[in-house]
């Protein structure tokens, strides 16, 4: 089962639990849900589409082990996404400050700008990742970045050093 493009785009969702039967979340499926602050992803999910959770109030996400690909801008927070008015409500988006990958991760690809502009300070990339595209983690507050063992062999990895403030570890 897939959740299609724009399926729940621009609503007033607060929390979402994706059932285990869903294998793909499509383009912009949950984007522009400014109140959305809780997402639980199902254990069979394989693909998180472009912009799937952009412009939400998520501060933490756990990527299930079954996810193979996170497409471009899936969790992006652009500079202009800071505060919005919905009626009389001002909603300020701070971005992700916590990113976790479930043990046994099968993730191989992280698309360009996938986590751009959030508030991540520490990121541990799973060993299964073989491709990290342009600015995938750009414009965060990263002080510690650990890239798993398998990414050092033929990986296309682009993380702007400007945004990594202190320590990068590539394990062998």
């Amino acid at each position: 089962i897939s959740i299609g493009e724009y399926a729940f785009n621009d609503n007033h969702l607060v929390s979402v639990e994706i059932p285990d039967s869903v294998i793909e979340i499509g383009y912009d499926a949950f984007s522009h849900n400014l109140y959305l602050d809780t997402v639980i992803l199902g254990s069979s999910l394989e693909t998180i589409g472009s912009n799937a959770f952009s412009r939400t109030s998520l501060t933490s996400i756990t990527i299930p082990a079954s996810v193979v690909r996170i497409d471009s801008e899936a969790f992006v927070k652009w500079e202009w996404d800071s505060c919005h008015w919905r009626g009389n409500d001002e909603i300020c988006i701070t971005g992700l400050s916590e990113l976790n990958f479930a043990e046994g991760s099968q993730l191989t690809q992280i698309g360009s700008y996938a986590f751009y502009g959030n508030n991540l300070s520490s990121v541990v990339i799973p060993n299964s990742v073989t491709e990290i595209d342009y600015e995938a983690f750009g414009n965060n507050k990263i002080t510690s970045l650990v890239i798993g063992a398998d990414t050092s062999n033929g990986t296309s990895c682009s993380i702007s050093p400007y945004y990594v403030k202190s320590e990068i570890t590539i394990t062998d």
Side-chain angles (χ1 to χ4, degrees), residues 125-139:
I125 306 293
N127 288 342
S128 57
V129 173
T130 58
E131 184 175 345
I132 301 171
D133 290 337
Y134 183 77
E135 291 284 8
F137 293 93
N139 202 19

Side-chain angles (χ1 to χ4, degrees), residues 43 63-68 101-108 126-129:
S43 64
I63 307 298
S66 58
V67 172
V68 176
F101 296 96
E103 190 170 329
S105 178
Q106 298 173 36
L107 184 64
T108 60
N127 288 342
S128 57
V129 173

Side-chain angles (χ1 to χ4, degrees), residues 30 58 89 94 125 137 143 170:
F30 293 96
L58 290 175
D89 294 334
T94 59
I125 306 293
F137 293 93
T143 57
I170 299 175

Side-chain angles (χ1 to χ4, degrees), residues 3-11 26-32 50-51:
I3 297 176
E5 294 182 359
Y6 302 102
F8 299 98
N9 174 280
D10 201 14
N11 280 285
Y27 176 84
D28 259 322
F30 293 96
S31 68
H32 296 84
S50 295
N51 290 293

Side-chain angles (χ1 to χ4, degrees), residues 31-159:
S31 68
H32 296 84
N33 277 283
L34 301 177
Y35 298 98
L36 183 59
D37 63 7
T38 303
V39 170
I40 299 170
L41 301 172
S43 64
S44 299
L45 186 63
E46 295 176 4
T47 303
I48 300 173
S50 295
N51 290 293
F53 295 99
S54 65
R55 299 189 86 181
T56 64
S57 291
L58 290 175
T59 57
S60 175
I61 192 75
T62 298
I63 307 298
S66 58
V67 172
V68 176
R69 190 177 81 228
I70 299 173
D71 288 342
S72 64
E73 301 178 19
F75 295 92
V76 69
K77 181 200 165 287
W78 296 112
E79 291 84 5
W80 55 84
D81 281 341
S82 296
C83 292
H84 303 275
W85 286 94
R86 285 279 172 116
N88 292 328
D89 294 334
E90 182 180 24
I91 303 142
C92 293
I93 298 172
T94 59
L96 291 171
S97 57
E98 186 176 343
L99 172 61
N100 298 300
F101 296 96
E103 190 170 329
S105 178
Q106 298 173 36
L107 184 64
T108 60
Q109 181 182 1
I110 301 173
S112 59
Y113 298 97
F115 296 98
Y116 183 92
N118 284 281
N119 284 309
L120 298 171
S121 61
S122 178
V123 177
V124 178
I125 306 293
N127 288 342
S128 57
V129 173
T130 58
E131 184 175 345
I132 301 171
D133 290 337
Y134 183 77
E135 291 284 8
F137 293 93
N139 202 19
N140 275 273
K141 298 176 180 174
I142 295 174
T143 57
S144 176
L145 174 66
V146 178
I147 301 175
D150 294 344
T151 60
S152 62
N153 185 10
T155 294
S156 168
C157 181
S158 177
I159 300 172

Side-chain angles (χ1 to χ4, degrees), residues 15-27:
S15 66
V16 170
E17 185 169 349
I18 306 296
D20 291 341
S21 57
V22 172
I23 60 168
E24 181 178 7
I25 297 174
Y27 176 84

